[in-house]
Amino acid sequence: QVQLVESGGGLVQAGGSLRLSCAASGRTFSSYAMGWFRQAPGKEREFVATISWSGGSTNYAVSVKGRFTISRDNAKNTVYLQMNSLRPEDTAVHYCAVVSPVSGKPDSWGQGTQVTVSS
């Protein structure tokens, strides 16, 4: 089983930046792809970004491409999400997840961290 703990959320003005972190334990972190997802009030959880086990391959949702950067440090068992040029529509609880190598879908979640962007 894996434990994921997100941090770094908060309140920021539109145009500002935040860096989210997700610390993992209990699993061979470097063997798995990781992802960030988010859920706004009244909406379904949506994909934000994923990164391969090595960090050599990344994917982004169209809505965040060019503004957000996902990265990882396998020595620290941590995955990051650098968020720049934030918009009010980025307001959501942001979750990190382990991506199953079998299904390609997230199968372990953290508790989430709230990101609020004011206009």
Side-chain angles (χ1 to χ4, degrees):
Q1 192 71 354
V2 64
Q3 291 78 45
L4 302 172
V5 179
E6 300 96 334
S7 61
L11 173 64
V12 64
Q13 288 188 333
S17 298
L18 283 174
R19 188 194 195 202
L20 306 184
S21 299
C22 173
S25 62
R27 206 168 181 177
T28 309
F29 175 79
S30 60
S31 299
Y32 295 92
M34 298 292 295
W36 284 96
F37 300 78
R38 66 188 183 185
Q39 187 167 18
K43 295 188 177 181
E44 293 187 354
R45 194 172 298 189
E46 65 176 8
F47 161 76
V48 175
T50 54
I51 186 167
S52 63
W53 67 270
S54 67
S57 178
T58 57
N59 286 293
Y60 297 92
V62 171
S63 59
V64 308
K65 199 167 188 178
R67 300 187 298 122
F68 291 10
T69 303
I70 189 171
S71 62
R72 66 189 297 162
D73 185 339
N74 287 342
K76 295 182 178 180
N77 283 5
T78 302
V79 62
Y80 304 97
L81 185 68
Q82 178 67 44
M83 305 185 295
N84 298 329
S85 301
L86 283 161
R87 305 167 180 169
E89 53 264 39
D90 295 317
T91 295
V93 178
H94 285 65
Y95 300 88
C96 71
V98 175
V99 178
S100 168
V102 177
S103 67
K105 297 180 180 180
D107 70 355
S108 296
W109 297 93
Q111 84 290 347
T113 185
Q114 176 69 48
V115 172
T116 302
V117 184
S118 63
S119 57

